[in-house]
Each structure stands twice: as C-alpha cells, then as structure tokens.
Amino acid sequence: MMNQYISKMEGSASMRSMQMAAELKRKGVPVIDLAGGEPDFDTPLKIRERAKQALDAGHTHYAVGRGIYPLREAISKQLQEKNGIYVGPDQIIVTPGGKFGIYLALTSILNPGDEVLVFAPYWVSYVPIIKACGGVPVIVPLTDKNDYKIERKIVEDKITDRTKMLIINYPNNPTGRILHQEEAEILRDIILEYNLYAVADEIYDEIVFDGKRNISLASFPEIKDAVVTVNGFSKCAAMTGWRIGYTAASQEITDVMYRLFEHSITGVSTFIQEAALEVFECETELEEMRKTYEERRNYMVTEINKIPGLSCKCPEGAFYLWIKVDTDLTSEQVCEKFLEEGNLVCVPSDSYGETKAVYVRCSFANDMKILRKAVEKFANVILK
Ligand SMILES: Cc1ncc(COP(=O)(O)O)c(C=O)c1O
C-alpha cells in the first residue's frame, strides 16, 4: 500500500482552476482568468538583472546551509524593523517558496494524530499539508456576519488535549482580512494558556491597503518561540515562478526543520538567492505594485457591489475579492456558470472550507482592461 496520507491527498482547487484556464486559453477560448494566485506584473528588472549577473558570476553550485548569509541577514533585519520579529540570521531558512516553508514547519512539529486548528475560510493547501504530515485538521469556522473575526470562545471550543498548534494566514487568502490587535492578543493568550505552537503565514504582508498594518503573531515576545513565521518573495516582488521564501522561528524549531531541509532540498538555487537580495533594494517598485493593487481593488469593490446578486467586502490586504453570491446553486455550479456564460474563471468557495454561503474567489492582480471586461461579464451572468 502506498503512503496512507499522501495517496489520499486531494488536489489544489486553485491550481486546478489555473490549469483549466491555461488549457482553455491554449484552445483559443478567450477566458478571463481571475483564478490565479499571482501578480500579473513581471519581476522588477533590477531583480532579473541581478539573477543574470549571478549566473555569469558562477553562482550555480550547491547552496550550502540555511541560505546565503547576506540574504538571511537582510531578512532578519527586515523582520525586526518592519514586523517586530526578533530573529537572527541563524533562525532563518531560505525555502523554495512559502508553501514549502509551511510544509517544513508542520512536518517538523507534528506527530501522527496531533490536531491543528485551521481557521475557515482557509487557503487551499493547509488541510492537505496537515494530513500529509499525519496531523488532524480541526476547522474553526469564522463567519462573514461577524466580519471573520477571531473570538476566544470559537477557538477554545475546538481545543482538545490533542491540539498541538494553530495555523493562521494574514493578510488572508481568500478574505483579504488582516490580523487586528484584539484578535492577535486572543491568539497570544490561547497559545500561552494551552501551550500551542503556531504557523503564521504572512506571505501577503507587504500588500496591505489604506495605510493599515498587519500584526505579526511572532512580534509578541511571550510567544515568539512558539511561532513559525512563513513569508517570501512570490507575492510582494512578483516572483512566484522563482520559488523562494523563508521560515523564521526559534533556534530549536529552526534546527529541527533544518535536519529535514538538508536531506530533502539541500538549498535554494544560489543565483536565485543572490537575486532575492535585490528585493530589499526595490522599495519603490514594490510600493508601485501595492498602490496599483489598491486602485484595482477600489474599482472592483465598487463595481461588483453594483451587480444584483453579488456583493463583497473591501479587502484590507492581498489581491483577492471574496464575492458573495446570492443563489441556490453550489459554488462549483456558480463557477461553471461564470465560465460558460461569461468565460470567467473563478475559484469556488467550498475549496476554502466555506460551507455556510456561496462565494467565489477572484484575483484583481490583472490589468484594468481585463478587470473592466470581467465586471461587464459578471453583470451579464444569470445566476438563478
Ligand atoms: C496564503 C498563501 N500561503 C502561501 C502561498 C504559497 O506561496 P509560494 O508561492 O511562495 O509558495 C500562497 C500562494 O498562493 C498563499 O496564497
């Protein structure tokens, strides 16, 4: 028998939608792809140039250790200055994307049967990764009615003597919520009281709007050693295809994670790590992208809320609209209708563990021409 956890793993809904959009495009269907979880921008020129220089300079050998030191040093400095997370370079591992960082953290901490609290709606990969690590996902449902706020009671209701950790994602994919002070304090208190670990997936933390600020869970000194922060360059620097991210954690957790890392990944390609150093010199470019997302968000939120049957809240961060659909159909059927009648590719809400109402997730990381067309198409789909 094959591995009991991996062989039963379900596929990624957003990847499936992206693949479907690519396949339709290949066949010449003029699809409007709002399914993707990636920036439409090219990686900033300075970063690409730096990669080319690094290749020519011979950075093509094995990457040894946790990541090149200057990169870990730059990450450590940024985490301290921007996020209030006090970790040194040795507490950082440069990973092939944020996703692998999440896997590395979960598989290094969990033992079979350990329960992990996952807040729904959740990013599509948490549940499969937890299961692959032999853990048991326990869903904590947050509700739109309550603006997806974390409340102490709903978390405590799910805690058992098997609860080992919780995983949070802010700015959130799919809702666009950021973590607010009051909620962060609730999580801090629960982590302390029940002696839990946490993974804080902050992959969108540079994409926050209206001058707000996302709170990093690991910035609380009382729990900093219990939290693995996962972040990376995929979203903020439009580097999804480069596959580079990182974990920041206590020395103890980092050393355990590194044991698996060196026997599985060895290291992220050195020229990619060299190029990532340039991200820290690209503040203007990153801010330009962030501002553009904010403008697109403003347009989309206004327009979607004008369409009968569709509504959405204003996301505080990331680049998704979580559109509520007033319908008797399932979210899969709604997505099928959007595709058939409007050539729109969206991701259905049941893939995010949303069971109470029907939503679709749409990315506004698309240029305005495409977004204007999308709004037109949304308005013409008959949902009843
Ligand atoms: C919430 C969340 N975490 C992690 C990732 C993965 O990031 P990376 O591409 O760096 O692996 C994504 C990508 O879609 C995401 O949405």
Side-chain angles (χ1 to χ4, degrees):
M1 194 177 100
M2 307 263 266
N3 179 278
Q4 57 173 322
Y5 304 127
I6 312 283
S7 59
K8 290 188 202 127
M9 221 166 165
E10 57 266 39
S12 160
S14 50
M15 288 288 172
R16 210 165 37 240
S17 300
M18 282 166 79
Q19 275 159 11
M20 186 179 71
E23 182 63 13
L24 287 169
K25 273 185 213 158
R26 204 181 54 78
K27 288 182 181 157
V29 182
V31 289
I32 301 175
D33 182 6
L34 308 176
E38 63 173 337
D40 55 316
F41 299 107
D42 289 333
T43 307
L45 180 65
K46 268 150 68 181
I47 301 171
R48 287 181 275 143
E49 291 296 339
R50 181 90 175 239
K52 290 180 215 165
Q53 284 160 16
L55 276 169
D56 289 341
H59 292 283
T60 52
H61 296 272
Y62 277 132
V64 180
R66 292 158 197 228
I68 58 170
Y69 193 81
L71 181 59
R72 286 185 290 122
E73 213 175 20
I75 294 168
S76 150
K77 188 164 172 278
Q78 168 150 312
L79 286 174
Q80 296 193 27
E81 287 171 1
K82 279 199 177 163
N83 302 75
I85 302 175
Y86 288 86
V87 288
D90 290 344
Q91 291 169 259
I92 285 157
I93 300 177
V94 178
T95 57
K99 196 183 266 184
F100 188 79
I102 295 162
Y103 172 70
L104 192 61
L106 289 166
T107 202
S108 302
I109 293 173
L110 294 177
N111 284 307
D114 284 344
E115 292 178 359
V116 184
L117 303 181
V118 182
F119 296 87
Y122 46 71
W123 179 50
V124 294
S125 290
Y126 298 138
V127 167
I129 294 176
I130 292 165
K131 288 183 182 166
C133 299
V136 179
V138 174
I139 308 304
V140 183
L142 303 178
T143 69
D144 197 358
K145 268 194 210 120
N146 197 18
D147 201 19
Y148 296 113
K149 258 197 202 114
I150 292 175
E151 286 173 343
R152 193 178 168 100
K153 181 160 176 351
I154 51 172
V155 186
E156 279 188 320
D157 280 352
K158 299 288 180 182
I159 294 180
T160 70
D161 54 6
R162 305 241 42 180
T163 310
K164 178 78 158 283
M165 65 192 299
L166 54 87
I167 178 158
I168 59 163
N169 162 226
Y170 292 102
N172 184 265
N173 172 7
T175 67
R177 277 274 261 119
I178 59 171
L179 186 65
H180 295 260
Q181 184 70 25
E182 190 191 342
E183 296 165 282
E185 287 173 9
I186 290 172
L187 292 172
R188 174 200 61 192
D189 295 348
I190 287 174
I191 288 167
L192 278 174
E193 190 168 331
Y194 296 93
N195 200 17
L196 305 179
Y197 290 99
V199 168
D201 175 356
E202 298 180 358
I203 197 87
Y204 296 96
D205 86 321
E206 297 269 355
I207 307 171
V208 175
F209 309 125
D210 308 316
K212 292 186 180 172
R213 197 177 69 85
N214 185 57
I215 295 189
S216 291
L217 197 59
S219 64
F220 290 109
E222 309 92 308
I223 54 164
K224 75 174 186 13
D225 287 346
V227 182
V228 181
T229 303
V230 177
N231 207 327
F233 307 103
S234 301
K235 315 288 179 174
C236 67
M239 292 179 75
T240 46
W242 297 64
R243 310 311 301 135
I244 181 160
Y246 56 86
T247 58
S250 70
Q251 199 61 64
E252 186 191 1
I253 296 177
T254 303
D255 291 347
V256 173
M257 292 196 296
Y258 185 62
R259 284 184 207 166
L260 175 63
F261 185 87
E262 75 175 342
H263 286 297
S264 52
I265 296 298
T266 306
V268 172
S269 314
T270 41
F271 65 93
I272 291 178
Q273 295 196 57
E274 289 287 333
L277 267 171
E278 199 63 31
V279 175
F280 300 91
E281 309 300 324
C282 282
E283 255 188 51
T284 314
E285 289 86 342
L286 268 53
E287 174 56 14
E288 197 54 44
M289 289 192 269
R290 192 206 62 77
K291 257 179 35 207
T292 308
Y293 293 134
E294 187 163 329
E295 285 159 18
R296 294 167 175 180
R297 176 206 64 164
N298 294 345
Y299 169 76
M300 287 304 279
V301 170
T302 309
E303 295 304 317
I304 290 294
N305 281 307
K306 286 182 191 163
I307 301 173
L310 303 184
S311 59
C312 66
K313 291 198 169 133
C314 195
E316 297 171 296
F319 42 61
Y320 305 105
L321 286 189
W322 185 234
I323 303 177
K324 188 170 187 185
V325 186
D326 181 14
T327 179
D328 296 327
L329 304 174
T330 65
S331 61
E332 288 268 0
Q333 288 168 333
V334 167
C335 285
E336 275 165 28
K337 247 181 176 297
F338 281 148
L339 181 60
E340 280 162 17
E341 296 177 24
N343 282 339
L344 294 155
V345 187
C346 313
V347 192
S349 54
D350 47 5
S351 357
Y352 300 91
E354 171 62 67
T355 53
K356 291 202 183 67
V358 171
Y359 295 79
V360 293
R361 191 201 73 171
C362 297
S363 162
F364 51 86
N366 277 296
D367 78 36
M368 281 304 293
K369 234 166 78 194
I370 294 175
L371 295 178
R372 277 197 202 97
K373 189 99 200 133
V375 166
E376 215 177 277
K377 296 279 185 184
F378 272 123
N380 288 331
V381 175
I382 299 153
L383 286 160
K384 294 288 177 190

